Amino acid sequence: MTSLPLPIRGSQSVPALPVSQPHQAAGRVHLGLSIADLRWLLSPKALGIIWQPAPFSLPNPLRGQQILAGNYAGANGLIALAGHAPWQHATEISAHGFDWLDDLASLGNRPARDLAQGWLALWIRDHDRPFARQGKAWTLEAISARQISLLTHAHFLMAGQNTADRKAMFKLLARQTAWLRHEVTRCPDPVARLHGATAWVFSTSSLMGMEGVRPKAIQCLEKAAAQLSTAPEADLPRNPARLASALADLVWMRAVLGRAATPQAVQQAITRLSDCVSVLRPPHGALARFHGCDGGAPALLSQIQDRADEGRKPAALPRFSHAAGYIRLSCAASCLILDASPPPLKREGDMAHASTNAMEFSVNRLAFITSCGTGAGFGPDWMRAGRATQSHSTACLAGRSSAGLDGATLIGGATQVAQSSKPTHGAERVAVSHNAWQADWGLHHIRALTLSHDGMRLGGEDAFAPRNEEDRVIFAARMAQTPRGSLGFSLHFHVHPTITAQSDMGGRAASFLLPDGQVWVLRPSEGAELVLRPSVYFDPDHRNPRATKQVVLFSTLADYGGAIGWCFLRAQ
């Protein structure tokens, strides 16, 4: 993988509390009022707060201290606020969703409260206007997150708050409740719709004066849950973190409503999504790092699943299982998860990765072979690099990714993925193939994987080959334009940074020392070149990408295509 320079971080400074600035109107002001405007202006008043169970969250006091020191962790890295609020610098929706409030509230001290109250007053003054519902501040995602954050930390914000600011906050909560009612049913994305319905139910359960619309909010939640519980597997979110987030919303809503009053569709969605998350969580506890997922927090994921499975005993996962377009092989202490579907271009194109046929492999509750992960939070260059095929543990043809980027949106990629599986003597075997390079090269990537039942051997073969006469014509034309022996392909295995990797046997093998003392060896088939190269691991708990290694196997294509066989074997 080509090394990219680390983006320059902002310098540190101590933030000043917001000061008044001249008001500027955003967008055009219309003399006529739409139905949405009337709902906004005539929304019922919120008269007080009724305490409800808090949502699942993992606030970070270290990030809170970072914010007090004048730095905000945005998608483009650490931002020096220089006396401004996060949304005045950061480009992502989460700043308007008040993600910073969780971290400041986790500190619970006077400086954190003063800063949070000041930023809230500033945001209300600049954005809480009937005719300014535009841009990132008023997307359903931002409104839902902001409403939940404000209600969750209302007591923190209200301590010592002046009367005018408190009234403004309650007006905002009431207006956002009305806006959620208007927007949730129009949202096409099932996870965003569920999150919006969750925020609406939470609002009508927490705000005195909103009880009258609570039945409609619950009905909306029921419909959103039913959509997820009955959707075909191909229509489920491909980002494992979004599946876990939807599960967290549903489990939380069951706690807010009470088990007896929870609609059946919500319980059915909880059961289905909990089973999906189980498939996508290797024994080390984090989630598989595909399509924008950073792995999540194992402790929080366990808490969510434990609460989700209350009252039922989930079945143990079989050796072969699948969910949301992924395949899982589990044998003894070893677990392999494989991305076995086309990238989700329509639904999640802004976070999708070119990772079809990529795998992650863990042993003995330790991540072993992984992907670089999502570069979000480390700057746009790292984010683009993390989405490339070469940043995943899979094969790459002629140095080209299996999908491209148009701005921030993934384009192209595999449109057809075939898969088959069967148990063999003493092992589980799965084969997948995709057509991402078919149009340009006439080649399909075919990957066959075999995991022994004792979990001590993972064998594989990665091949590029034409499938029919049309493919052979395209491939022959490509080969005719290329000097013989110069068209190659590579196979990447990214190693977790806690593992020591080194070349062995004069470059004919690689060995790996795991933290628990296990030693594994990778040996490729005859004719493949093995090289150890630098790689990175995007860890959200680290300020910079973590340095690690990748093993790259190289080979060239012949008239019939090409293949590399390989085997990971536990040596001790």
Side-chain angles (χ1 to χ4, degrees):
M1 185 182 71
T2 304
S3 177
L4 293 171
L6 184 68
I8 298 174
R9 308 285 178 170
S11 58
Q12 293 188 358
S13 62
V14 177
L17 287 176
V19 295
S20 296
Q21 297 175 3
H23 172 78
Q24 294 181 353
R28 292 166 49 193
V29 176
H30 299 275
L31 295 177
L33 291 177
S34 68
I35 294 176
D37 292 328
L38 289 172
R39 284 173 175 163
W40 179 271
L41 293 170
L42 301 176
S43 56
K45 293 181 179 180
L47 305 175
I49 298 285
I50 305 169
W51 182 252
Q52 297 291 344
F56 293 100
S57 66
L58 198 64
N60 191 330
L62 292 178
R63 283 203 303 262
Q65 293 286 1
Q66 210 171 46
I67 292 170
L68 283 180
N71 296 286
Y72 172 75
N76 293 325
L78 205 63
I79 299 170
L81 294 173
H84 294 85
W87 63 88
Q88 295 172 329
H89 278 292
T91 59
E92 57 268 27
I93 290 174
S94 57
H96 284 289
F98 288 15
D99 62 345
W100 42 267
L101 183 53
D102 281 349
D103 300 323
L104 288 175
S106 69
L107 298 177
N109 56 30
R110 180 65 181 270
R113 181 179 290 108
D114 288 346
L115 185 59
Q117 289 173 343
W119 280 352
L120 172 60
L122 177 65
W123 192 95
I124 289 174
R125 192 199 66 206
D126 288 349
H127 294 283
D128 183 19
R129 301 192 305 277
F131 304 102
R133 297 187 304 278
Q134 301 178 37
K136 295 179 179 180
W138 292 107
T139 62
L140 179 61
E141 180 184 350
I143 297 171
S144 303
R146 186 166 59 244
Q147 187 81 342
I148 290 171
S149 188
L150 285 172
L151 288 170
T152 302
H153 303 298
H155 292 288
F156 169 74
L157 288 166
M158 289 164 62
Q161 191 179 37
N162 65 56
T163 302
D165 285 348
R166 182 175 295 186
K167 285 183 178 179
M169 184 181 79
F170 273 89
K171 284 183 179 179
L172 174 63
L173 289 169
R175 289 168 179 168
Q176 288 184 159
T177 302
W179 185 240
L180 284 167
R181 178 181 181 179
H182 176 61
E183 286 297 307
V184 166
T185 55
R186 300 168 58 184
C187 178
D189 180 84
V191 175
R193 183 180 181 184
L194 174 67
H195 196 53
T198 298
W200 189 17
V201 172
F202 189 41
S203 301
T204 59
S205 301
S206 303
L207 291 171
M208 296 173 62
M210 301 291 172
E211 301 88 343
V213 292
R214 192 176 188 227
K216 289 185 178 180
I218 295 173
Q219 186 179 38
C220 181
L221 175 71
E222 185 177 11
K223 289 180 179 179
Q227 185 178 5
L228 284 169
S229 66
T230 60
E233 182 176 327
D235 292 341
L236 289 175
R238 299 295 319 290
N239 180 340
R242 298 190 79 215
L243 285 169
S245 174
L247 176 62
D249 280 344
L250 290 165
V251 175
W252 174 40
M253 285 296 96
R254 187 172 66 183
V256 170
L257 297 174
R259 187 177 290 271
T262 298
Q264 185 178 7
V266 171
Q267 183 55 56
Q268 290 171 341
I270 288 173
T271 299
R272 185 185 190 188
L273 294 186
S274 182
D275 290 343
C276 287
V277 171
S278 294
V279 171
L280 299 177
R281 284 186 76 193
H284 56 66
L287 291 163
R289 292 155 50 88
F290 293 108
H291 296 297
C293 177
D294 62 11
L300 183 61
L301 290 166
S302 294
Q303 182 186 0
I304 293 168
Q305 282 206 276
D306 288 346
R307 294 279 297 278
D309 295 335
E310 287 177 355
R312 77 177 186 117
K313 186 177 181 180
L317 287 173
R319 286 172 174 160
F320 174 88
S321 55
H322 60 89
Y326 298 93
I327 290 174
R328 172 179 173 137
L329 298 181
S330 301
C331 294
S334 296
C335 174
L336 180 141
I337 296 178
L338 179 70
D339 183 353
S341 290
L345 303 182
K346 292 182 179 179
R347 302 187 308 277
E348 299 169 287
D350 58 340
M351 65 180 71
H353 287 207
S355 59
T356 306
N357 284 12
M359 70 174 211
E360 295 196 350
F361 184 49
S362 62
V363 295
N364 246 23
R365 299 183 178 272
L366 297 170
F368 181 4
I369 301 300
T370 182
S371 61
C372 294
T374 174
F378 298 94
D381 290 339
W382 283 120
M383 189 170 181
R384 283 192 296 271
R387 299 173 74 180
T389 300
Q390 298 93 318
S391 297
H392 300 81
S393 293
T394 188
C396 180
L397 178 62
R400 299 195 178 192
S401 189
S402 62
L405 284 173
D406 181 7
T409 303
L410 198 75
I411 57 173
T415 57
Q416 298 175 4
V417 177
Q419 55 181 267
S420 63
S421 62
K422 65 175 182 179
T424 61
H425 181 67
E428 296 293 321
R429 185 180 186 276
V430 63
V432 290
S433 66
H434 73 74
N435 67 338
W437 289 285
Q438 181 186 23
D440 291 335
W441 300 87
L443 295 173
H444 295 250
H445 174 215
I446 306 151
R447 165 166 269 189
L449 303 169
T450 304
L451 180 61
S452 64
H453 286 168
D454 62 8
M456 298 179 68
R457 184 186 185 278
L458 173 64
E461 182 183 71
D462 285 89
F464 286 93
R467 282 289 181 88
N468 53 43
E469 187 58 32
E470 183 180 352
D471 290 345
R472 282 187 280 274
V473 170
I474 297 172
F475 181 52
R478 277 286 188 177
M479 291 295 285
Q481 299 169 5
T482 309
R484 190 168 185 82
S486 65
L487 185 58
F489 63 99
S490 56
L491 182 56
H492 301 256
F493 295 103
H494 295 270
V495 182
H496 192 271
T498 60
I499 293 173
T500 302
Q502 63 181 32
S503 179
D504 267 338
M505 299 175 62
R508 291 176 295 171
S511 62
F512 310 90
L513 176 62
L514 277 61
D516 63 353
Q518 290 184 72
V519 176
W520 284 69
V521 175
L522 168 65
R523 296 193 66 175
S525 58
E526 198 70 31
E529 179 188 3
L530 184 151
V531 178
L532 212 60
R533 287 189 169 176
S535 181
V536 294
Y537 182 89
F538 298 120
D539 188 334
D541 292 330
H542 286 68
R543 180 176 176 180
N544 298 326
R546 298 175 67 181
T548 186
K549 300 284 188 181
Q550 61 173 314
V551 178
V552 187
L553 307 181
F554 292 96
S555 188
T556 56
L557 296 170
D559 293 338
Y560 53 83
I564 298 177
W566 48 270
C567 179
F568 282 95
L569 186 66
R570 180 172 175 178
Q572 67 180 54

